[in-house]
Amino acid sequence: MKSAISGYHGFIAKHLIKKLEQLGHELVLIDRAFLYSLDAITKLLIKEKPDYVFHLSGYGNMSDQIDKKEIFQANVINTFNLLMASQAVNYKALINFSTSSVLLEYETMYSATKLMGELLAGQFPKTVSVRPSTVIGVGEQSTHLIPTLIRSCLYEEEMPFIGEPSHDFIAVDDVISGVLKIIENIDKVDKQVNISSGIQTTNQAVREIVEQLTGKKANVKYVDRMREYDTKDWKVNNAALVNLGWEPIHYLEDTITKMIKEQVWN
């Protein structure tokens, strides 16, 4: 098998690459520059003839990624270019990585463009957009809640904090197993599939877990609000994937324990 992967420098992609290598896949790593040119990405895919295409390249999910033009370019135009180019090869499945934030009432430029990407992907055969909930694990972004809490506990770094917002946290390895289950059933699944734990956990509960596991208190500075789309109700329905025989097997505490031990983040 041969798999083409865009956004290969990212957190989820690194774990996906590791798993695909274990399964014996030959990998084609798509540089972002190719996605800006329909001609360039088409020529690359015709040359490589991948069996699977995984589109993880995107822009706008980090707090410093605020260029609206680039958000639209990366999540809509580049996605369309890859979808069009992929029609030149007889792939078995194309997985477009979206986000569970498209399910929230409050829209951001990022979630709006990701939803556009989903709608585009829905027009192409054997293509599924996956919506991971809040993905955690070794190697995730350093500015995210859990890495920041770990550093705050272990090294007394002061951090802004609000306890009420909730997330549906899922281990990155469970996301990867969910993606593999989807490609095994590509002809049976809908055009959009949620990948989540189905469990809602507040920031405060996560803080308490990190403090218990480290044996130290976080150095927090309470704030009224951090992100406009923060919500007290973020629980993502994973029934479609569970019905295929998949289930998340990594508990939140176990994942955080591993993160504390390895302390590796982007």
Side-chain angles (χ1 to χ4, degrees):
M1 292 291 102
K2 181 183 285 190
S3 291
I5 302 173
S6 70
Y8 58 88
H9 290 299
F11 162 51
I12 298 175
K14 289 178 180 178
H15 285 264
L16 175 61
I17 287 170
K18 181 179 179 180
K19 183 62 177 180
L20 292 175
E21 287 178 334
Q22 291 173 351
L23 294 173
H25 285 227
E26 180 182 349
L27 301 180
V28 178
L29 304 181
I30 303 174
D31 190 271
R32 179 187 289 266
F34 282 93
L35 299 175
Y36 286 79
S37 167
L38 176 57
D39 183 59
I41 187 60
T42 301
K43 288 179 179 178
L44 176 65
L45 294 183
I46 290 175
K47 175 185 175 182
E48 298 293 348
K49 296 180 176 59
D51 298 288
Y52 299 99
V53 180
F54 298 94
H55 181 43
L56 293 93
S57 181
Y59 181 88
N61 63 325
M62 302 296 291
S63 59
D64 61 340
Q65 296 178 340
I66 58 175
D67 185 330
K68 290 187 177 181
K69 182 178 179 180
E70 182 57 30
I71 293 173
F72 185 81
Q73 174 72 50
N75 301 335
V76 181
I77 298 177
N78 289 2
T79 297
F80 180 71
N81 285 344
L82 181 61
L83 290 166
M84 286 294 292
S86 297
Q87 301 315 292
V89 297
N90 187 27
Y91 58 80
K92 300 179 185 297
L94 190 156
I95 303 298
N96 172 52
F97 276 73
S98 185
T99 169
S100 65
S101 62
V102 301
L103 301 170
L104 297 177
E105 291 185 7
Y106 186 92
E107 280 192 1
T108 64
M109 186 68 180
Y110 176 69
S111 64
T113 54
K114 278 296 189 179
L115 183 56
M116 291 179 195
E118 286 189 9
L119 294 174
L120 291 172
Q123 300 303 309
F124 293 83
K126 296 184 179 180
T127 298
V128 174
S129 292
V130 296
R131 297 167 170 171
S133 55
T134 304
V135 187
I136 61 172
V138 174
E140 71 170 284
Q141 286 78 4
S142 63
T143 56
H144 284 185
L145 175 64
I146 295 174
T148 304
L149 277 169
I150 291 172
R151 294 195 308 276
S152 183
C153 287
L154 294 180
Y155 309 116
E156 300 182 356
E157 290 185 17
E158 185 180 77
M159 63 176 290
F161 184 78
I162 181 170
E164 291 79 11
S166 67
H167 297 266
D168 186 328
F169 294 99
I170 184 165
V172 64
D173 289 337
D174 286 331
V175 173
I176 302 307
S177 68
V179 169
L180 295 179
K181 179 63 70 173
I182 289 168
I183 66 175
E184 290 173 4
N185 297 273
I186 197 66
D187 295 322
K188 300 178 182 178
V189 296
D190 293 333
K191 283 294 185 176
Q192 296 86 28
V193 180
N194 301 332
I195 307 180
S196 69
S197 68
I199 300 172
Q200 182 171 293
T201 307
T202 64
N203 289 355
Q204 178 60 31
V206 174
R207 174 187 171 184
E208 291 170 3
I209 292 171
V210 175
E211 288 180 338
Q212 180 181 15
L213 292 173
T214 60
K216 297 182 179 181
K217 294 293 184 180
N219 180 17
V220 301
K221 178 181 180 181
Y222 289 98
V223 295
D224 293 329
R225 193 171 185 84
M226 291 183 65
R227 302 180 304 185
E228 291 299 322
Y229 58 89
D230 277 338
T231 175
K232 296 180 181 180
D233 184 22
W234 198 335
K235 181 180 177 181
V236 180
N237 187 331
N238 61 12
L241 199 47
V242 170
N243 289 339
L244 294 177
W246 171 90
E247 63 178 349
I249 61 174
H250 297 87
Y251 292 103
L252 180 59
E253 290 85 350
D254 295 334
T255 302
I256 294 176
T257 298
K258 190 173 182 180
M259 294 173 69
I260 292 171
K261 180 181 179 181
E262 300 196 24
Q263 293 186 49
V264 175
W265 28 73
N266 290 329

